[in-house]
Amino acid sequence: MKKIAIIGSSGGNLYSLGGKKPEKLLEEIITQSSSADIQVGAIQFIAAEESMDSAKDNVRARIFSQGSQEQPEVSFEGSLEEVNQEAAEFDKYIAEQIHDGRIDGLIVMSSDPDGVNRLTIEAAADKQIPIVGTGGTSMAMIGSKGAMVISQSGTTGTTSRTRAVSFTASLAKYWNMAYQPVIGSQSQIESGSPTNVFKNISLRGIMVSALPGFIAMAIVLALSRIPIFSGLGEVFDIMIQALPVVLAAIAAKQVSDLDEVSIAAGVIAGVLSVEGGIIGGIIGGILAGIFVHYLFRKCVQWRFPMTTVNIVAGGLSGLAAGLIVYYLLAPIALQTGNGIKTVIESAIAFNPIMAGALAGLLIWPAILGGVYHAAILPIVLLEMETAGNSFLGAIDMVGLVMVSAGITLANVISPRDKGEAAAAAPGFLINMGFGTFVEAAYPFMFSNKFVFAGAILSAGAGGALVGLFNVRGTAYVPTFAAPLLTNNAAGFIIAMAVAFILAFVITISANRVSSSKKAG
């Protein structure tokens, strides 16, 4: 096993590109090095609280060294002047390790070859161990001292992860060691399981993450109906056009998990996917994420400079994905979305009360069966794409949120057991205050079949009223604000109230019957 040392500082340009978060920067290097069976043997990293380009001697700074279990830890903290003096001791220590043959390579970032890193660089040059790093000026100075620099690049356009991958790939290639970049979620990294980019594709994850954008659009729509804010109608139109971009950026980030590089690719793909609506945006983002994943790895294998790797992987991946959607898939994606909305509207137009009641009756089985986030939420967002609110969104608020609120309030006021009141209160407050956390009703529904049946019945009754009043709305907002985001405030309030009261009364009755049986 080869051992390396990490030296340098948070730098000038580096400070804005990961240097201000030294723990993450160093942990990324350790993670990637471990994947290549390279061990970090020493760390001397100076992290200042501002860019080194403008830092004075009195600015606060910290020294990160190698702590327990090879993880970085703060070993000294003080002014930059004091930290530099203390860092000289670490410089001597690492230089001794190099001379003794206990360090086989160096990773260098924005170092000071004539100052706090002088002895280490001189020892590396003397022993001719491989050096990789960033920081144009400092790397040029290191090379001029006769050190063996095998890879160097600028910092612009890089991230902590992409730099770590580049450093490790260069060292692994020099030592003829196998290396597979670790790119994935934290759980994948910790488990050591290989990353399969296709397993990262999750429509549910993309849709849920994009929900804030849809809610923001609904708020703008509601405000635009107030005469004084009528100018926001144009803002609403802009936001509709922006939704595919939001979804594409989220999709690309989740699929490739390469932080800023994948986000840039997703935005580029999203801009070119606007004509395909939100389905086009999702497809463009997924394609961009896949392209980024593979193109990034290839560019690293080809030993492109890290800045170029990011530009190629992010720029070309986004462009390729976006052009595929723009020229080939956008019309199909748009027709698919419109087709789904047409089916819903046709069902509502055929018999709105029956459609609402059926949706209400099925909403609880759907969420309990895992269908809600996989199928219903995407349809809600498809409806919101053009109107800013949704028929199924109104069913969600009425049939899930208000019913859950009714059940939990009943258990606060008249619980079967005293301990249930304390458990029910937070659920009621969250449902009413934030329009979410319908799961708070689960314990009471599962423990009493009458409460379970009452929840489904209440949701069905509320859904029928949604259909009767032709309501369009949304959940995930405070219940008192929901009527402001609908096309029919009075109808929405009636439907919400009926579902809430019905669930409340049925649960109270069921609890009292249960309590009477226990007492008897």
Side-chain angles (χ1 to χ4, degrees), residues 202-205 207-208 366-367 369-379:
S202 169
L203 289 179
R204 170 180 175 176
M207 288 295 197
V208 172
I367 195 168
V371 177
Y372 174 84
H373 291 97
I376 296 178
L377 182 59
I379 294 173

Side-chain angles (χ1 to χ4, degrees), residues 214-230:
F214 287 86
I215 298 299
M217 183 181 68
I219 292 171
V220 169
L221 176 63
L223 290 174
S224 68
R225 291 172 177 162
I226 303 173
I228 193 173
F229 297 123
S230 59

Side-chain angles (χ1 to χ4, degrees), residues 246-376:
V246 173
L247 284 158
I250 291 171
K253 168 66 173 64
Q254 291 188 359
V255 170
S256 72
D257 205 15
L258 271 170
D259 300 327
E260 291 91 339
V261 182
S262 54
I263 292 172
V267 170
I268 295 168
V271 170
L272 292 172
S273 303
V274 168
E275 296 301 321
I278 67 173
I279 293 180
I282 292 171
I283 294 172
I286 290 173
L287 289 175
I290 293 171
F291 293 165
V292 166
H293 181 85
Y294 288 109
L295 194 53
F296 177 85
R297 289 171 181 265
K298 282 297 179 184
C299 289
V300 170
Q301 291 174 7
W302 295 332
R303 300 187 70 178
F304 284 11
M306 208 60 235
T307 298
T308 306
V309 171
N310 283 12
I311 291 172
V312 172
L316 292 188
S317 297
L319 185 61
L323 290 175
I324 289 173
V325 175
Y326 185 83
Y327 284 111
L328 299 176
L329 303 179
I332 300 172
L334 187 61
Q335 288 177 11
T336 301
N338 289 338
I340 294 172
K341 286 179 279 189
T342 300
V343 168
I344 295 172
E345 292 299 328
S346 298
I348 297 170
F350 176 75
N351 191 323
I353 298 176
M354 182 180 294
L358 185 61
L361 290 170
L362 294 177
I363 194 76
W364 277 106
I367 195 168
L368 291 170
V371 177
Y372 174 84
H373 291 97
I376 296 178

Side-chain angles (χ1 to χ4, degrees), residues 37 43 82 102 141 145 149 248 256 276 314 326 328 346 376 404 519:
D37 204 24
I43 298 173
E82 294 169 340
R102 288 179 286 171
M141 293 173 64
K145 293 178 180 292
V149 178
S256 72
Y326 185 83
L328 299 176
S346 298
I376 296 178
S404 178

Side-chain angles (χ1 to χ4, degrees), residues 485-504:
L485 307 179
T486 181
N487 64 326
N488 185 343
F492 203 10
I493 291 171
I494 293 171
M496 290 169 66
V498 168
F500 174 82
I501 294 169
L502 194 55
F504 175 81

Side-chain angles (χ1 to χ4, degrees), residues 80-161:
L80 183 57
E81 184 178 15
E82 294 169 340
V83 163
N84 283 337
Q85 292 172 359
E86 185 69 20
E89 296 301 318
F90 287 91
D91 187 33
K92 292 178 185 177
Y93 170 72
I94 296 175
E96 289 173 359
Q97 284 197 308
I98 293 173
H99 282 299
D100 293 341
R102 288 179 286 171
I103 296 294
D104 304 300
L106 280 183
I107 291 179
V108 181
M109 293 169 287
S110 300
S111 66
D112 183 4
D114 291 329
V116 295
N117 303 122
R118 180 177 61 84
L119 297 177
T120 298
I121 297 303
E122 289 177 353
D126 181 53
K127 300 292 286 187
Q128 284 295 286
I129 63 173
I131 298 175
V132 297
T134 61
T137 303
S138 61
M139 293 304 294
M141 293 173 64
I142 292 171
S144 70
K145 293 178 180 292
M148 186 171 62
V149 178
I150 63 170
S151 176
Q152 61 179 309
S153 71
T155 308
T156 302
T158 64
T159 68
S160 293
R161 177 165 296 177

